[in-house]
Amino acid sequence: MNIRKPIQIIFFIILALLISSLLLLIDHVSPIAGIAELISGGFLTHYGLVATINDTIPLLIVAVAIIIPFIAKFWNIGGQGQYIFGSIFATWIGLELAGSLPGALLITAAIIFAFIGGALWAMPPTLMKIYFGTNEIITTLMMNFIAVYFLDYMTIGPMEGSIAKITHVPSSAPIPSPDLLPHIGGVSTGIFMALAIAVIIFILLRYTNFGYELKLIGSSIDAARYAGASLRRDLLLSMVLSGGIAGIAGMIQVFGITTVLLPQVFSDITTSFGYVGIPVALVASLNPLITIISAFFFSGVLNGAYAMEISFGIPIDLVITIYGLMMFFAVIGVMINLGRIFRRSGAK
Amino acid sequence: MMKGIVKRFPGVLAVDHVDFELYPKEIHALLGENGAGKTTLMNVLYGVYRADEGQILINGKQVRIRNAVDAQSNGIGMVHQHFSLIPVFTVKENLSIGLRDGGFRLNLNQIKLKIEEAEEKYGIEIDIDKKVQQLSVGEQQRVEILKLLFRGASTLILDEPTSSLTPQEVVNLFKSLRALQSEGKTIVIITHKLYEALDIADRVTVLRKGKVVFKAIKEGLTPQALTEAMIGRSVELSNYKMEKVSSRNSLIVEGLSVMGDRNEEMVIGASLEVHAGEILGIAGVSGNGQKELIESIFGLRASKGGRILINGHDITKYGVKGRIKAGLGYIPEERKTRGAAISLSLSLNSVMHDHWGQPYLTRGAFNYKAIRKFAREIISSFKVAAKDESVPARDLSGGNLQKFIVGREMMRNSSFLMSVNPTSGLDVGATEYVRNEIVSYRNKGGGVLLVSEDLDELLALSDRIVVMYRGKTSKPVERKDFDKLKIGAMMLGEGFNS
C-alpha cells in the first residue's frame, strides 16, 4: 500500500465531515461540537471505547472473511447470511450442550459449529459458480435474504426462548453465563480471536501457495490456469474459509455480546456486519492487518454517532446517515486516483 | 507538428523532448524498438495521454488535445493495436457508432450509401452486413479505418497495423494506404519493422528511448542506417550457431485430437516428436489448430484422443502442474493475459511455474528472499528494463515483458519448451535476443516446439519443420530440405489429403 491511498482516504473523510457539518447545521447543532462529540464518544470516553472495541470484533472478522475470495475477484456478498448461519449453529449447539460440557469445551464446539454453519451457507453459490458459472454476486446476495428470514423463523419457532414468549421480541433462550466469552473491563475477549484471525489470514494470503493462487486468479484466470493453479479447489477452499470465518463472527457476537440469538441485531443496517464488512475490507485495500484499523475506525465512528444522538438529541437516522457518508467517502478515497484528476484539471 | 513533447510515467521518461513534424499528404513511419515511446507519443497526439511538457501545433496554430474527441475534431484519428469494435454488431452498426448527424434514430440505409461511397473512393472492400466477430483481422482493420474516415479524419495514425496480418493482407493494406494518400489523407504508421517503413513511408522518424535519433526522407535510406538508428548498433540477422546435441529424450505427441472453442475438431490426429537438443518448428497459417495443439499439450485444453509422452512418460492425464513438473515449459503468445499476471509484481510473476516447491516454498511458506532473488536474476540476465522486481508486470513494455517471460521459462529446470510467436510485436533488438536465447536453450540440450506465423523465423531457427493444415500435421521436413516455396505450398494444403 503506497502513501497515496491513506492520504486520499483522510481527504475524503474530511469531505464527509464537511457534508455532515451541513446536515448538523440544518438540525441546529453546532458542527464543531457535533464532530468533537463524534470523536470523543467513539474513541476517547471509556464507555465509547469499550463499545467501539466490542463492535470491532464481528466487523473485523467478517471483513477479513470477505477478503479471502475478494482477492480472487470472487465477490462474496453473502457474508451476512454466513454470519447469521454461524450464529444459528453456534447458539443451537450451545443451548443443546449447556451444562453437559465445561465452558471451554463448549465454546470450542460452538466455534466449530459456527464455522460449519457459515461454510455450509456459502456452498450453494460457490458450487453453482463452479459447475454452472452463475454470477456469485446475485446468488450470495439472495442467500442473505433467505438467512435473515430463516433466523426470524427459528427465533419465533423451534429456538424461541421463554422470554420471547412474554416480550414478543423474537429471540432464543440465553446461553448460560458460564459458557459465555469472558470480558475484561467490559471488552469481550472475542477481540483476541478477531485479531488472531486477521493475523492468520494475513499470513495465509501472503505466505501460502493457496494465497498466491488466489492472487493469480484475481489478476487473470488464464494466467492462473497457465501457472497450474487449481481454480475449482482454490475457489471452493476460499469460500469454505470465508463462510466459516464469517460464521465464527456470528458465534462470537452471540457468546460475547448479545447472549441470545436476536434477529433484530442481524437485520439492522449498522449491525449487519456482513454488508458493512465489504467497505471496511475495501478501504483497507483487502489487507487483513490494515482491516484491523479500518474496522476499529468505523466502529468508532458508529459509536461516536450514537453519542451525538444522545448528547444533542439528533435523530438516530441522521447520525446513521453521517456514518454512511463517512464510509461512502472513505471507499471513494480508495477507488479513485486524486492525483491524476488534479493533474488533468490543472492542465486545462 | 509536435514540439518538445515530454511524457513521464512512474519511474520512466517515456517521451523525452520530442519534436515531430507531419506534413500534409505524406505517409510517415514512426520507427523504433519496443518501449521507445512511439505509441506513447502518438497517444499524446490522439489525446489518450496528456503531455507533461510541450505543445501541439496544427498549421502553426497551437491546439489543445485533451481527449479523442478533441483529436477527432482536429481531424486526427487513430487505430490502436487492439481494435475497438463491438464483435456482436455488424460492420454497418459499428460504423454508425458516434456519427452525430441524424439525431437519435439510426438511418442505416443512409449509412450504407455512405459506406459504399467510401469503399469506392478508397478501394476498401468489406461486407457491411457481416458481424465483426466473423471478420478476419485484416477486415476488422479496414472497418477501423473506415470508422475514422467516417468521422472526418484527415490524419490517420495506425499503431503496428501489420502485426497480425498475413502477407497478402499487408499488401492490400498498403494499397489502401496509398489510395488514401492520393485522396489527400495524411498517414502515420507506427512500426518496428524497418522493411515496412522502407516500403511505404515517404518520411521516417526513428525514436530510441523516448528521443528522436533519426529523421530522413525516403530517398537515400538504407536498412543498415535505419537498424543502427533504431538499436544503436548493427545486428547480424539470422546467423545462428546450431550445435549438434545427442540425447534420447523426447516430447512425443501421438494422434492427438482436440476440440476448439466452437465445438469443432481443431486438431485431428496430430503427431510429432521433439527431440532434446532440437527445435521443431510448426508452420501454418494462423487458425489451423496450432493454438489448440499447444494448449492441449500444456494441459490447458482437454484432448479427445491420442497420447502425449515426455521421455517415455505418459502425461496425457496430467493437469498443467503435473506437466510442468514433468519438464514442460511454455512461452505463450498472450503475454499480458496468460504469460504474466500483470497486476502482480515481477517477483510473484517469476515463480508462476515453481510456486509449489523448493526453494521458493519452504515448509509451506513462501520464501520471499529466494523469490526476489530469482526475479532479480531474470531481470539482470535477460536485460529486462524494469526499475526493480517489485514493480507490477503491467509497468513493463511488451518487449520487456516478453524478455521477462522468456527468462523465467528458460531459467527454470525444464527439458522441453513450447513457444508461440515468441517475437511477434518485438523490435529488432528484442527479436534477436529472444531468438538467440531459444537457440542457446536448444544447444544446452533442451527441446523446443516453436510455433510461428513468421516463416522466415522458422526457417532460421528450426532443425525440422512440421506444417499444420486444417488440424492435421505433415511429416517433418529436415533442415537440409528447407524450401520456402515448398513449405509455403504445404501451408496452403499441398500434400494434405482432405
Side-chain angles (χ1 to χ4, degrees):
Chain A
M1 188 147 154
N2 54 23
I3 191 76
R4 194 191 86 221
K5 282 184 181 176
I7 291 173
Q8 285 189 181
I9 292 170
I10 291 166
F11 174 83
F12 273 95
I13 284 175
I14 291 170
L15 211 59
L17 285 173
L18 289 176
I19 297 174
S20 304
S21 301
L22 283 178
L23 294 174
L24 289 173
L25 276 177
I26 294 168
D27 209 60
H28 307 296
V29 174
S30 147
I32 294 170
I35 290 166
E37 182 65 24
L38 179 90
I39 295 168
S40 77
F43 300 99
L44 303 177
T45 65
H46 179 261
Y47 174 83
L49 194 58
V50 167
T52 294
I53 295 174
N54 280 334
D55 277 352
T56 304
I57 300 167
L59 184 55
L60 171 59
I61 301 176
V62 177
V64 167
I66 287 167
I67 287 174
I68 304 167
F70 268 38
I71 294 278
K73 293 208 166 80
F74 185 87
W75 308 114
N76 177 19
I77 311 299
Q80 184 64 14
Q82 294 142 24
Y83 170 61
I84 289 173
F85 258 75
S87 71
I88 295 176
F89 270 53
T91 308
W92 179 78
I93 195 75
L95 294 173
E96 208 55 31
L97 298 179
S100 60
L101 275 183
L105 272 184
L106 187 133
I107 284 173
T108 311
I111 292 173
I112 293 169
F113 267 73
F115 187 94
I116 294 171
L120 280 178
W121 201 245
M123 282 308 97
T126 312
L127 296 174
M128 281 194 281
K129 172 76 175 195
I130 289 175
Y131 292 104
F132 311 117
T134 53
N135 181 327
E136 73 277 7
I137 297 177
I138 309 294
T139 52
T140 52
L141 183 63
M142 297 294 117
M143 295 288 284
N144 288 346
F145 301 145
I146 301 172
V148 167
Y149 288 98
F150 185 72
L151 172 66
D152 263 348
Y153 162 72
M154 289 303 280
T155 48
I156 56 166
M159 291 176 77
E160 188 180 29
S162 50
I163 298 167
K165 287 189 178 115
I166 302 161
T167 61
H168 295 288
V169 176
S171 72
S172 72
I175 305 288
S177 53
D179 301 331
L180 294 174
L181 293 172
H183 283 229
I184 301 170
V187 174
S188 164
T189 44
I191 188 67
F192 298 113
M193 293 164 73
L195 292 173
I197 287 171
V199 171
I200 290 169
I201 298 306
F202 175 80
I203 292 170
L204 181 88
L205 293 175
R206 183 168 163 82
Y207 289 101
T208 67
N209 202 12
F210 168 65
Y212 177 64
E213 294 193 0
L214 290 183
K215 282 179 226 159
L216 285 176
I217 297 169
S219 183
S220 157
I221 288 177
D222 198 30
R225 274 161 48 77
Y226 165 77
S230 335
L231 266 65
R232 288 180 171 190
R233 189 207 65 187
D234 290 341
L235 201 55
L236 193 68
L237 184 56
S238 76
M239 282 301 282
V240 166
L241 285 175
S242 184
I245 291 170
I248 290 177
M251 176 271 165
I252 292 176
Q253 187 68 347
V254 172
F255 282 64
I257 305 294
T258 62
T259 72
V260 295
L261 199 49
L262 200 62
Q264 224 181 338
V265 171
F266 293 92
S267 50
D268 194 276
I269 284 277
T270 53
T271 47
S272 288
F273 298 111
Y275 294 121
V276 183
I278 296 170
V280 167
L282 290 177
V283 168
S285 296
L286 302 184
N287 179 325
L289 296 186
I290 301 173
T291 307
I292 298 172
I293 301 169
S294 70
F296 177 74
F297 175 75
F298 284 111
S299 299
V301 171
L302 180 62
N303 283 294
Y306 286 143
M308 281 194 328
E309 178 204 0
I310 294 161
S311 303
F312 298 103
I314 306 167
I316 179 84
D317 309 283
L318 182 58
V319 299
I320 292 175
T321 303
I322 290 172
Y323 173 59
L325 275 172
M326 300 274 279
M327 204 162 261
F328 178 75
F329 276 91
V331 172
I332 292 177
V334 181
M335 299 212 284
I336 69 171
N337 187 337
L338 263 189
R340 187 179 297 166
I341 292 167
F342 277 136
R343 251 174 276 132
R344 207 174 284 168
S345 52
K348 262 175 201 170
Chain B
M1 129 157 221
M2 301 172 85
K3 209 170 171 183
I5 299 289
V6 175
K7 176 71 197 172
R8 294 185 192 89
F9 291 117
V12 202
L13 187 57
V15 174
D16 185 4
H17 297 93
V18 164
D19 297 333
F20 177 78
E21 306 86 19
L22 196 56
Y23 297 102
K25 297 182 196 173
E26 72 170 351
I27 298 183
H28 193 127
L30 187 55
L31 200 63
E33 296 201 304
N34 285 310
K38 303 165 296 207
T39 305
T40 307
L41 179 67
M42 285 301 110
N43 273 336
V44 169
L45 183 56
Y46 191 53
V48 177
Y49 298 135
R50 201 168 292 193
D52 296 322
E53 288 172 34
Q55 44 191 228
I56 299 170
L57 306 151
I58 295 178
N59 299 331
K61 235 179 76 192
Q62 189 175 344
V63 291
R64 193 151 276 175
I65 297 177
R66 288 161 305 187
N67 49 44
V69 177
D70 283 357
Q72 279 163 19
S73 58
N74 281 302
I76 300 167
M78 181 160 174
V79 179
H80 287 96
Q81 231 171 325
H82 302 284
F83 300 148
S84 51
L85 299 170
I86 300 170
V88 295
F89 278 16
T90 62
V91 173
K92 199 161 65 182
E93 286 162 343
N94 265 290
L95 288 173
S96 59
I97 296 168
L99 288 181
R100 303 252 161 109
D101 47 332
F104 270 119
R105 255 198 65 211
L106 278 177
N107 191 341
L108 286 174
N109 279 331
Q110 195 192 329
I111 286 163
K112 191 173 170 176
L113 284 177
K114 278 179 82 176
I115 296 172
E116 279 163 1
E117 194 187 299
E119 282 184 337
E120 203 159 316
K121 204 161 149 194
Y122 304 117
I124 297 175
E125 276 174 36
I126 203 102
D127 181 351
I128 59 169
D129 291 315
K130 261 195 183 170
K131 285 187 178 164
V132 163
Q133 59 193 8
Q134 297 169 314
L135 301 180
S136 72
V137 179
E139 289 172 314
Q140 291 186 22
Q141 191 174 50
R142 269 172 263 162
V143 178
E144 283 278 15
I145 293 172
L146 271 180
K147 203 163 90 179
L148 296 184
L149 296 173
F150 260 49
R151 292 178 186 179
S154 57
T155 302
L156 306 174
I157 307 166
L158 308 175
D159 191 358
E160 302 283 358
T162 61
S163 62
S164 40
L165 298 187
T166 62
Q168 188 54 42
E169 284 175 321
V170 173
V171 172
N172 284 337
L173 171 71
F174 284 1
K175 223 187 275 169
S176 305
L177 293 185
R178 291 214 176 83
L180 287 167
Q181 182 186 23
S182 63
E183 289 290 331
K185 305 290 180 190
T186 308
I187 294 159
V188 180
I189 108 170
I190 303 175
T191 183
H192 57 262
K193 296 179 182 162
L194 54 96
Y195 288 101
E196 274 171 10
L198 285 170
D199 191 7
I200 184 117
D202 303 314
R203 270 179 348 112
V204 178
T205 298
V206 180
L207 282 184
R208 188 164 83 226
K209 289 182 179 162
K211 289 184 178 156
V212 174
V213 290
F214 190 81
K215 286 182 190 184
I217 50 168
K218 190 177 180 176
E219 287 74 28
L221 270 182
T222 62
Q224 284 73 22
L226 277 182
T227 308
E228 260 187 59
M230 271 170 82
I231 63 176
R233 69 199 133 85
S234 300
V235 285
E236 287 279 289
L237 281 166
S238 31
N239 185 11
Y240 299 99
K241 201 170 144 218
M242 307 283 244
E243 286 163 18
K244 182 110 179 104
V245 179
S246 62
S247 167
R248 294 186 174 194
N249 290 343
S250 58
L251 166 69
I252 297 175
V253 175
E254 274 177 11
L256 195 71
S257 293
V258 185
M259 303 300 283
D261 290 332
R262 288 179 195 157
N263 213 29
E264 56 202 353
E265 204 170 351
M266 287 302 286
V267 179
I268 306 160
S271 295
L272 51 88
E273 193 171 341
V274 189
H275 302 292
E278 80 158 351
I279 297 173
L280 181 73
I282 295 195
V285 177
S286 158
N288 275 282
Q290 300 97 316
K291 172 178 179 272
E292 288 79 6
L293 173 75
I294 295 295
E295 287 180 348
S296 182
I297 296 176
F298 201 64
L300 289 169
R301 192 180 279 275
S303 56
K304 216 182 76 178
R307 292 202 304 163
I308 303 159
L309 301 115
I310 282 191
N311 304 337
H313 195 76
D314 192 334
I315 59 163
T316 320
K317 295 236 152 38
Y318 287 17
V320 172
K321 196 164 145 184
R323 295 174 195 226
I324 296 168
K325 283 180 172 172
L328 208 52
Y330 172 27
I331 301 167
E333 183 179 14
E334 303 84 354
R335 285 157 211 160
K336 295 198 164 175
T337 53
R338 177 173 291 173
I342 56 166
S343 63
L344 305 184
S345 67
L346 291 180
S347 298
L348 289 179
N349 271 290
S350 72
V351 291
M352 272 174 96
H353 285 160
D354 295 287
H355 55 93
W356 41 68
Q358 293 281 5
Y360 310 115
L361 191 74
T362 33
R363 272 178 257 113
F366 264 33
N367 179 350
Y368 277 96
K369 223 176 126 189
I371 292 170
R372 279 194 285 263
K373 188 166 159 267
F374 182 51
R376 278 197 299 270
E377 275 170 29
I378 297 173
I379 291 169
S380 64
S381 333
F382 282 76
K383 299 183 179 65
V384 180
K387 206 175 75 193
D388 57 42
E389 72 280 3
S390 69
V391 299
R394 71 155 59 91
D395 284 8
L396 265 54
S397 72
N400 275 307
L401 186 60
Q402 180 71 347
K403 280 186 185 174
F404 183 84
I405 294 168
V406 168
R408 176 186 69 210
E409 296 302 305
M410 299 232 170
M411 288 179 71
R412 293 181 57 249
N413 266 330
S414 62
S415 42
F416 290 94
L417 190 59
M418 300 192 291
S419 185
V420 181
N421 292 329
T423 61
S424 81
L426 298 196
D427 56 68
V428 183
T431 297
E432 269 311 291
Y433 194 84
V434 167
R435 287 180 183 170
N436 275 316
E437 286 302 329
I438 290 175
V439 171
S440 84
Y441 179 86
R442 166 206 179 276
N443 290 347
K444 283 181 210 146
V448 180
L449 185 56
L450 175 65
V451 177
S452 181
E453 282 162 30
D454 181 347
L455 189 51
D456 290 326
E457 175 167 85
L458 288 174
L459 293 170
L461 295 179
S462 310
D463 292 279
R464 296 185 298 152
I465 289 178
V466 165
V467 178
M468 270 193 99
Y469 177 72
R470 293 194 178 165
K472 293 182 179 160
T473 45
S474 74
K475 288 218 163 57
V477 181
E478 299 289 332
R479 190 173 177 91
K480 62 177 164 52
D481 304 325
F482 281 1
D483 176 348
K484 196 171 175 180
L485 288 177
K486 199 180 133 209
I487 292 174
M490 288 168 76
M491 285 164 64
L492 296 173
E494 199 179 288
F496 288 86
N497 29 348
S498 49

